[in-house]
Amino acid sequence: SVAAVVQFFLQAAPWSSSAFAPRPHPESHNFVRKKSSNHVRPFHGGAIFSSLHARSQSTASGPSLSQDAGVKANAEDAKGSQNGKDHIISQSAKEVTYAAILKAIDESHYNEANQLCSNLASETAASTADCVTSQIVDESKSYYSPTTRALSDDSVNAIRKAARSYFEKERERDPRAKESERVDLGELISSSDVGPAWENDLNYALIQTIYPLIRSGWPSHEAFSVPSNSKVESTSAYRPSELTVTSASVFAGCDFPGADVAMTTFERDAGLFVVHIDLGNDKHAEQLLSEGANVIGALYLESLSDKCEMQPSGSIVTLYPGQMVVHKSMERTAAIVVPSNIQSLEENNVHTLDGLFRRNILKAAEKATHYALRLVLTTKIGVGSESANGFSKLDIPEAPCEERSYRLRSYSRFRDSRERYLTLAGLLDADDYENHLWLGFDYLARFNDHGIQGDQQISFVNKAIFHLEKASALCPTDSRIHFQLATAIRAKMDYEKHLLIQGANDQRKSTGLELKDEANDLIRVADALKRSANLESSAVKVCVSGVQDLAIVLSALAETQCKLGDFEGALKTIDRWAECGSIRSALAFEDSTELQRIKVPSYEWIQTQVKNGAEISRNVAVRTVGDMPVLEPEDITLLRAAADKHFALAAGFQTSRFTMQYEGNSEAHLDDLCADPYLKERMDQIMQEKIYPLVREAFRGEEDEPQLGSLCVYDSIFVRYNGDIAKAAGRLGASQPLHQDGGIYSVNIALNAHKDDDDDGFTGGGTFFEALTVGDVDYIQRPIQPGHAIIHHTTQRHAGAPTTSGVRDILVIFLTARRPEVSTNAENTWRIERGMRLQSIAKELTRDKLIPCLKLAKNNDPRNSEIPYWLGVHLLQGDMNAPSGKRWDEICEGIDSFKLSTFLNPADARAHYHLGMAISTRHKYAMRTKRAHLLPPANEAAESLIQALETAIRLERKCVGAGCGNGLNLAAAFLALGDFMARLNDFDKAVTYLNQVEDTIRREGDIDQNWAKPMLHEVSTMLDYCTKAAMEKSNEASVVE
């Protein structure tokens, strides 16, 4: 009974009073809503990538409390805090509160069951009795899909015709409606003049097929038992529960460039059972797709994804018009479209996301508008002494546990003490995994609350792990659960490590996850992430989910594998991660069959040029020239208008994955702007006719020749630099720091003019290329005019030079390559991305794994100067007093890494700076550990150090002058030069360098920095010593003469 459950809940709840502390609104936990439903991204958000979602039917926003019950519940909730007198709510008050909520839930359920969709037939007592079956059934089966059709052709065509007419009218009012179309069946009936024949057909299917199928398929479902009620002494007054429809909706989708394959979001529904009936489309001609295939409907069921990695089609049930699938509402599903020959498109590579299977599903989505009917079913119960609502208000029976649990869970989202409501929901329905998923997520969020420390944090993370493990046991096919479980275990490991670092061993408790078992715990994390990645891959392959969540999982998995030292496994994971980037954008990928017939825009190479000939000229970037721009003026107008609208709607909110969010910087992803079908079609044409052929042509002779796979968009962003806003915020201008890009090639297209070419243009701005600082070419470059482009390798270090006034708009397109349809074992499509991603992962590793990770990155991309630079930095870090031979070898290897970095990129001031510092470090270490005999000759060492540090100083001053500095401490460079010269007894040179330290500090405005005073004191001491020593040396020379 209600009272018994509530009493147990109150007595057994294992919380302290702090559990009642006010909690933030659910939106503060990075919930991200999608379209018009309550769907939430599974992995999005902050440190824990948290997300969950609720079902999006009539009760998705929470249970509808009656006025009396709502007032009563609110009054009881207020008792504990009035005037601050009562800090703990009494036991009886809490019992009344929860009882009132549950009673309101029961009333809401039966009101909906009796009143909603009243035009559709409910199950009758006679048909209920006829459904008793003696045959053995498999109640663990998650769905049924009879071969017989639920609706006739005439009914299917009538519903589809009515829906098509309704949606066409909606699109006239709002063109964006095509993105996600849904209408309640009741509204469709009232707005159309279609006859009642199809409604009779649907009612006949409900009575004769659907209700009996559910009864016989799941005869032991708890909804079919007579409910308990503490106020009813006998159950004889109740009739058996009857199935009924509480929600009926028609969905439509697809039939435009870049259309989503899924007509419904990937989520579970309200109610107890769901019936999905395919309604077909208006284009039946087989020429829609290649090889005689046409477009048909299908339903993706999450429970089928467990063993479908080799054959992704095993996770979907294909349907022809009139056919149906019946499943439990607890099942996460999505209605999609597929080609009719889907079974013949299976691929052998288990981890291939992008192939004929997925590509043909995407093509199918663009070819026809498809329709489907979805019915949500629950049960209702009649009472002997019926009232107008079908039962006596005083004798409302308990709703099915699954309904109560779902509604209570939805209600909990907007309450302070969510954990208590979720725990009660779990007690009401022990088989609903989502209660444990929500609890695990919420405890993980509380663990990350900065106001909680010590034992309470450990308690929260332990509870999170417990509930997520329970959820994974109840539903092993939900990828979100496994990811959150891995996150919770990793969070606990990091916290225990933090306590050790802080010397707080006494705060650690033995809770089953000891730090000494770190390798075993990492294996648990890796296993959970592998499970999550494989399940999420199944959804991506059939286009039910986007790749963003999968990329997050694979990123975490690659890092975990590197922490375990499993670098071979990490490389395979990184390839899958890179493949996610290659299919993330909806923009068209390269069609290689058209390349030979296309004339590319004219271009020229921007090269380093040195007058004295000491430096070999190097290709830096390609710049388009001539009268054939990449974007025409009308394309630019269309893009800027779309961006203006996007920025106005965003109201300052950023969704950046790339640019630094400084004042004056704004951006919009091109995929978001291409929600306009015309802009999407135009950009696809530009990619195919200009950008892809141009990149192929320009970089064909380069050592990093374009990959064998089709070029494609990794991402693309419209960037707006507002120099006036940046200046008002105290910045030099709107800019980006020195960086490398993601992908393989970067395409930078100007969208408006500089003031040199247009009085209304911007000042400053342009792309600062680090490589050009070694020569005599202007190191800030801009396209020759709006519509033209500059293209370069993503590994070419560059920056956005400060736009000092006005607005500068650019479109940046990052290109990568797709997996080749025919590949060889020797080819590595994403070797450049392998190197960059391993380099990024290395920063999160301990030193014993970091060094081999960077070496592996260098082997995969030996031409990226950034990798040996960071390898050198980390090799030089360590105990400088350790006399071991290994430490000496690391210092020498670090110097070699810096030399390689400066060879690959002679313009990197950081590499030269650290090379000079490393030479100085080697000299000091050799003297300290009696290895002076291993040093190079003094003159050679001095020449190397002077050249490295003076080059660093010269290059850094150029970067600083352009507003794109590396942040090097040039004063420290002069100090190192002076120190080294003093150690070689060249005191005159030492004095020359040391005298520049103070001037440099003052020039850069660092005289008030904390480090400046001790450095100047050291310099003063050294100057006194060197001046005195120089004089003594001079006097000694005079005596000798």
Side-chain angles (χ1 to χ4, degrees):
S1 69
V2 173
V5 171
V6 171
Q7 186 68 20
F8 174 83
F9 166 64
L10 293 171
Q11 291 177 351
W15 297 280
S16 64
S17 60
S18 62
F20 289 98
R23 304 282 289 118
H25 190 275
E27 296 299 333
S28 68
H29 291 311
N30 297 308
F31 286 88
V32 178
R33 298 180 184 275
K34 181 179 180 182
K35 296 183 180 177
S36 60
S37 72
N38 281 344
H39 178 80
V40 188
R41 299 197 63 78
F43 306 107
H44 182 83
I48 61 173
F49 303 112
S50 59
S51 69
L52 302 167
H53 68 271
R55 289 170 268 183
S56 62
Q57 298 300 325
S58 58
T59 59
S61 61
S64 55
L65 296 173
S66 68
Q67 183 177 0
D68 292 342
V71 171
K72 191 172 184 180
N74 291 335
E76 295 296 339
D77 281 341
K79 287 183 179 180
S81 59
Q82 64 176 3
N83 300 324
K85 294 179 180 178
D86 297 325
H87 297 286
I88 302 177
I89 302 175
S90 66
Q91 183 97 350
S92 59
K94 284 187 283 188
E95 181 172 339
V96 172
T97 300
Y98 293 122
I101 293 171
L102 290 174
K103 199 66 175 177
I105 286 174
D106 296 337
E107 182 179 345
S108 175
H109 165 75
Y110 285 111
N111 277 335
E112 292 177 6
N114 282 275
Q115 296 172 11
L116 296 180
C117 298
S118 57
N119 58 312
L120 297 181
S122 297
E123 191 179 27
T124 62
S127 63
T128 300
D130 293 341
C131 286
V132 177
T133 178
S134 59
Q135 66 179 3
I136 299 176
V137 295
D138 180 12
E139 293 202 55
S140 64
K141 190 175 177 67
S142 62
Y143 78 99
Y144 289 94
S145 182
T147 55
T148 56
R149 298 173 57 181
L151 296 176
S152 65
D153 282 340
D154 290 340
S155 296
V156 167
N157 292 334
I159 299 174
R160 191 172 65 241
K161 179 181 178 181
R164 182 176 64 252
S165 176
Y166 177 90
F167 292 138
E168 285 174 352
K169 293 177 182 178
E170 288 297 306
R171 287 177 212 143
E172 291 176 1
R173 291 202 298 263
D174 182 5
R176 294 174 299 175
K178 190 175 181 65
E179 183 179 330
S180 178
E181 298 180 309
R182 173 186 177 275
V183 59
D184 290 334
L185 193 60
E187 183 178 354
L188 187 64
I189 293 173
S190 63
S191 63
S192 67
D193 55 357
V194 181
W198 64 266
E199 191 174 348
N200 295 333
D201 196 11
L202 178 57
N203 283 328
Y204 182 83
L206 285 167
I207 295 295
Q208 297 298 322
T209 305
I210 297 173
Y211 293 147
L213 176 62
I214 294 174
R215 284 266 178 195
S216 60
W218 297 285
S220 300
H221 195 284
E222 60 91 17
F224 299 143
S225 61
V226 177
S228 61
N229 191 313
S230 58
K231 294 186 178 181
V232 179
E233 308 240 344
S234 169
T235 58
S236 59
Y238 291 95
R239 296 195 296 266
S241 59
E242 302 167 0
L243 289 166
T244 188
V245 180
T246 59
S247 174
S249 305
V250 175
F251 295 88
C254 310
D255 196 24
F256 61 91
D260 287 339
V261 170
M263 295 182 290
T264 60
T265 50
F266 180 32
E267 56 190 11
R268 58 186 289 180
D269 287 282
L272 302 176
F273 304 97
V274 177
V275 181
H276 177 90
I277 304 175
D278 188 77
L279 299 178
N281 56 72
D282 296 322
K283 301 178 182 178
H284 299 290
E286 291 188 349
Q287 63 266 25
L288 283 177
L289 298 171
S290 60
E291 301 178 1
N294 57 358
V295 179
I296 62 173
L299 189 69
Y300 176 84
L301 293 98
E302 184 179 58
S303 62
L304 301 181
S305 64
D306 193 20
K307 300 178 181 179
C308 296
E309 219 181 342
M310 292 296 293
Q311 294 183 317
S313 65
S315 60
I316 62 176
V317 179
T318 55
L319 298 167
Y320 286 90
Q323 286 187 310
M324 70 175 178
V325 173
V326 181
H327 61 86
K328 294 181 180 180
S329 64
M330 200 177 294
E331 173 89 25
R332 288 210 303 164
T333 65
I336 63 175
V337 295
V338 297
S340 56
N341 63 341
I342 189 70
Q343 302 293 340
S344 65
L345 298 175
E346 299 286 5
E347 294 161 299
N348 295 324
N349 190 335
V350 63
H351 292 316
T352 299
L353 296 175
D354 178 42
L356 291 176
F357 185 86
R358 185 175 183 277
R359 292 182 186 183
N360 278 271
I361 291 178
L362 289 169
K363 288 179 182 178
E366 296 182 343
K367 295 298 183 180
T369 301
H370 208 84
Y371 300 82
L373 172 64
R374 177 167 289 188
L375 309 176
V376 178
L377 279 60
T378 188
T379 57
K380 63 179 182 179
I381 293 179
V383 182
S385 55
E386 292 186 356
S387 66
N389 290 334
F391 50 81
S392 169
K393 188 171 182 179
L394 296 177
D395 294 331
I396 299 174
E398 293 180 4
C401 290
E402 189 175 329
E403 288 273 19
R404 297 179 109 198
S405 174
Y406 158 63
R407 293 168 187 252
L408 189 61
R409 186 168 60 247
S410 299
Y411 177 71
S412 73
R413 294 178 61 193
F414 306 100
R415 309 299 295 175
D416 289 339
S417 302
R418 281 193 296 279
E419 293 86 355
R420 287 183 170 270
Y421 293 101
L422 289 172
T423 301
L424 177 56
L427 291 170
L428 291 170
D429 187 2
D431 295 330
D432 193 333
Y433 71 92
E434 202 155 293
N435 293 322
H436 294 284
L437 176 57
W438 276 85
L439 276 166
F441 154 71
D442 210 67
Y443 280 124
L444 201 51
R446 296 190 67 146
F447 166 79
N448 284 279
D449 189 337
H450 297 297
I452 298 173
Q453 294 180 351
D455 292 346
Q456 198 171 27
Q457 266 193 297
I458 289 292
S459 175
F460 284 147
V461 76
N462 281 337
K463 289 176 182 178
I465 293 171
F466 168 80
H467 285 291
L468 292 168
E469 286 179 335
K470 182 70 173 177
S472 67
L474 291 171
C475 182
T477 57
D478 191 327
S479 60
R480 304 169 304 165
I481 298 173
H482 300 287
F483 178 81
Q484 295 286 359
L485 176 59
T487 303
I489 296 173
R490 189 172 54 190
K492 182 172 182 180
M493 292 173 61
D494 292 343
Y495 181 68
E496 291 186 333
K497 189 178 296 185
H498 166 73
L499 290 181
L500 284 178
I501 293 173
Q502 295 296 323
N505 299 47
D506 56 320
Q507 295 184 33
R508 296 178 65 242
K509 301 294 182 181
S510 178
T511 51
L513 187 63
E514 296 298 327
L515 196 60
K516 63 184 180 182
D517 297 325
E518 183 175 9
N520 292 332
D521 298 330
L522 282 173
I523 290 173
R524 289 177 63 196
V525 172
D527 289 343
L529 291 172
K530 287 177 184 177
R531 179 79 171 155
S532 179
N534 291 339
L535 292 168
E536 192 67 21
S537 294
S538 179
V540 170
K541 287 176 183 178
V542 295
C543 306
V544 166
S545 293
V547 298
Q548 184 174 346
D549 295 334
L550 177 57
I552 291 172
V553 181
L554 292 172
S555 171
L557 177 57
E559 180 183 322
T560 304
Q561 289 171 318
C562 287
K563 287 181 177 180
L564 285 166
D566 180 14
F567 293 109
E568 183 177 351
L571 283 178
K572 294 178 181 178
T573 301
I574 288 172
D575 283 351
R576 296 172 65 187
W577 180 12
E579 188 175 24
C580 288
S582 73
I583 62 175
R584 176 167 55 194
S585 175
L587 293 168
F589 60 91
E590 180 185 30
D591 183 358
S592 57
T593 61
E594 299 292 329
L595 291 179
Q596 302 301 323
R597 302 197 299 269
I598 294 175
K599 180 183 178 181
V600 303
S602 301
Y603 63 90
E604 64 183 12
W605 276 98
I606 301 172
Q607 297 178 313
T608 59
Q609 295 177 6
V610 182
K611 291 180 180 179
N612 58 19
E615 172 66 33
I616 300 174
S617 295
R618 296 173 182 242
N619 289 339
V620 176
V622 164
R623 174 169 48 208
T624 60
V625 295
D627 56 0
M628 184 180 179
V630 174
L631 295 179
E632 300 295 337
E634 53 269 27
D635 300 324
I636 295 175
T637 300
L638 193 63
L639 271 169
R640 298 187 78 188
D644 288 340
K645 185 176 181 181
H646 177 88
F647 292 142
L649 292 173
F653 178 74
Q654 292 282 2
T655 57
S656 171
R657 286 193 292 267
F658 294 104
T659 62
M660 303 295 289
Q661 296 307 307
Y662 299 131
E663 296 89 344
N665 296 3
S666 303
E667 71 171 46
H669 290 273
L670 183 58
D671 274 289
D672 295 334
L673 302 184
C674 284
D676 177 357
Y678 177 76
L679 180 57
K680 166 71 165 58
E681 184 177 359
R682 181 60 187 147
M683 288 308 302
D684 284 346
Q685 183 181 359
I686 292 167
M687 298 301 301
Q688 295 286 14
E689 295 181 359
K690 295 184 178 180
I691 295 178
Y692 292 143
L694 173 60
V695 172
R696 285 282 181 187
E697 173 68 25
F699 290 89
R700 179 167 286 119
E702 291 287 286
E703 294 184 38
D704 291 320
E705 186 175 339
Q707 313 303 301
L708 296 181
S710 298
L711 292 173
C712 59
V713 176
Y714 172 80
D715 208 335
S716 180
I717 53 177
F718 179 107
V719 183
R720 173 162 292 171
Y721 295 109
N722 191 314
D724 299 326
I725 293 177
K727 292 290 282 289
R731 297 179 58 211
L732 181 62
S735 62
Q736 294 292 334
L738 275 164
H739 63 280
Q740 292 181 327
D741 292 328
I744 302 174
Y745 302 100
S746 296
V747 182
N748 184 324
I749 306 173
L751 300 179
N752 64 326
H754 189 268
K755 197 171 184 64
D756 292 346
D757 305 312
D758 185 340
D759 290 339
D760 295 327
F762 59 90
T763 61
T767 302
F768 172 86
F769 285 103
E770 183 182 63
L772 297 178
T773 58
V774 299
D776 303 315
V777 179
D778 187 357
Y779 29 82
I780 297 179
Q781 296 286 331
R782 288 186 293 270
I784 61 171
Q785 63 186 44
H788 279 267
I790 290 178
I791 307 171
H792 58 87
H793 286 289
T794 55
T795 52
Q796 187 73 253
R797 272 173 46 92
H798 61 285
T803 298
T804 52
S805 69
V807 171
R808 175 185 176 226
D809 286 346
I810 60 173
L811 179 66
V812 184
I813 303 173
F814 307 105
L815 302 182
T816 185
R818 292 200 167 189
R819 187 187 296 274
E821 295 185 12
V822 179
S823 60
T824 63
N825 293 331
E827 185 204 359
N828 175 15
T829 304
W830 300 292
R831 61 180 181 81
I832 294 175
E833 294 201 39
R834 272 187 175 186
M836 297 185 72
R837 292 169 194 257
L838 282 169
Q839 174 190 311
S840 176
I841 289 172
K843 299 174 184 178
E844 306 300 325
L845 305 180
T846 55
R847 196 168 186 274
D848 61 319
K849 300 296 191 303
L850 181 151
I851 301 300
C853 182
L854 287 174
K855 290 181 178 180
L856 181 62
K858 186 177 72 171
N859 291 338
N860 277 274
D861 187 8
R863 293 184 54 79
N864 186 347
S865 65
E866 192 84 348
I867 299 172
Y869 165 73
W870 284 109
L871 179 58
V873 168
H874 290 289
L875 283 168
L876 263 293
Q877 292 176 350
D879 185 2
M880 296 308 297
N881 295 315
S884 68
K886 180 180 179 182
R887 184 71 193 117
W888 170 256
D889 292 340
E890 286 181 342
I891 294 173
C892 295
E893 188 179 355
I895 291 175
D896 291 339
S897 291
F898 287 130
K899 287 180 177 179
L900 175 60
S901 181
T902 59
F903 171 77
L904 294 172
N905 181 10
D908 191 341
R910 304 167 309 158
H912 289 286
Y913 177 88
H914 284 92
L915 174 58
M917 292 297 188
I919 293 172
S920 177
T921 297
R922 180 181 62 183
H923 183 88
K924 295 176 185 178
Y925 187 82
M927 294 302 182
R928 190 183 303 121
T929 59
K930 299 180 180 180
R931 289 186 171 87
H933 61 285
L934 298 177
L935 290 171
N939 290 338
E940 180 183 332
E943 183 180 349
S944 298
L945 182 137
I946 292 171
Q947 181 180 357
L949 291 179
E950 288 192 344
T951 301
I953 293 167
R954 184 178 66 256
L955 293 172
E956 180 65 3
R957 283 179 172 170
K958 287 186 177 181
C959 294
V960 171
C964 306
N966 290 283
L968 298 182
N969 191 331
L970 299 185
F974 283 117
L975 177 59
L977 283 165
D979 176 76
F980 194 79
M981 292 297 102
R983 292 174 184 274
L984 296 180
N985 295 326
D986 192 341
F987 300 111
D988 289 331
K989 283 189 176 180
V991 170
T992 301
Y993 287 123
L994 291 172
N995 279 330
Q996 297 186 61
V997 173
E998 183 173 355
D999 290 341
T1000 301
I1001 292 176
R1002 292 188 181 280
R1003 185 187 303 123
E1004 296 182 2
D1006 293 332
I1007 195 66
D1008 295 325
Q1009 296 294 322
N1010 292 333
W1011 53 265
K1013 187 174 181 179
M1015 178 181 285
L1016 290 174
H1017 177 74
E1018 182 180 359
V1019 168
S1020 177
T1021 303
M1022 292 178 66
L1023 276 171
D1024 290 343
Y1025 171 80
C1026 292
T1027 302
K1028 182 179 179 181
M1031 291 180 62
E1032 291 177 353
K1033 188 174 181 181
S1034 176
N1035 292 336
E1036 181 180 344
S1038 299
V1039 171
V1040 171
E1041 289 176 1

